[in-house]
Amino acid sequence: MAIIITDECINCGACEPECPNNAIYDAGAAWRFSDGTGLRGVIDFGDGVTLNAEETQAALSDDIYYIVPDKCTECVGFHDEPQCAAVCPVDCCVDDENVRETREELLAKKDWLHMNE
């Protein structure tokens, strides 16, 4: 699973620097797969979808900080718990019930995100 930031977010920004995958962005901020990862050039998602890792993607929220689910590994392989949830003063970093991944899938995602580092 991934972590989401709920609308209780107070936009304090405590979570953003804690993410080892640079998956957390400020409200309204565009993002890229290459931000904070080893991904460069054309990336392949394994399902026939490809895109340029440096291509700017639209913000997922214009109101609160947000987490890009394709970059979130719940800190598996880095820490014992999701660091965003650990530092959030209002407990608004929670499991995303719509995105479920096993520990093995999260470790594979971590390896994929950081393969060229």
Side-chain angles (χ1 to χ4, degrees), residues 1-81:
M1 69 195 93
I3 305 294
I4 60 170
I5 298 175
T6 67
D7 59 6
E8 286 89 29
C9 177
I10 59 173
N11 289 315
C12 71
C15 58
E16 185 179 22
E18 300 303 320
C19 182
N21 301 313
N22 206 97
I24 303 174
Y25 293 85
D26 196 354
W31 64 277
R32 293 182 299 273
F33 275 98
S34 61
D35 295 339
T37 72
L39 299 175
R40 301 292 180 268
V42 175
I43 54 176
D44 186 345
F45 291 90
D47 57 2
V49 175
T50 61
L51 63 84
N52 185 327
E54 287 99 4
E55 184 177 312
T56 301
Q57 306 295 317
L60 301 182
S61 173
D62 290 326
D63 302 316
I64 57 173
Y65 276 80
Y66 65 90
I67 299 173
V68 176
D70 285 333
K71 293 178 72 177
C72 179
T73 61
E74 297 179 41
C75 295
V76 169
F78 292 105
H79 303 285
D80 292 334
E81 65 181 334

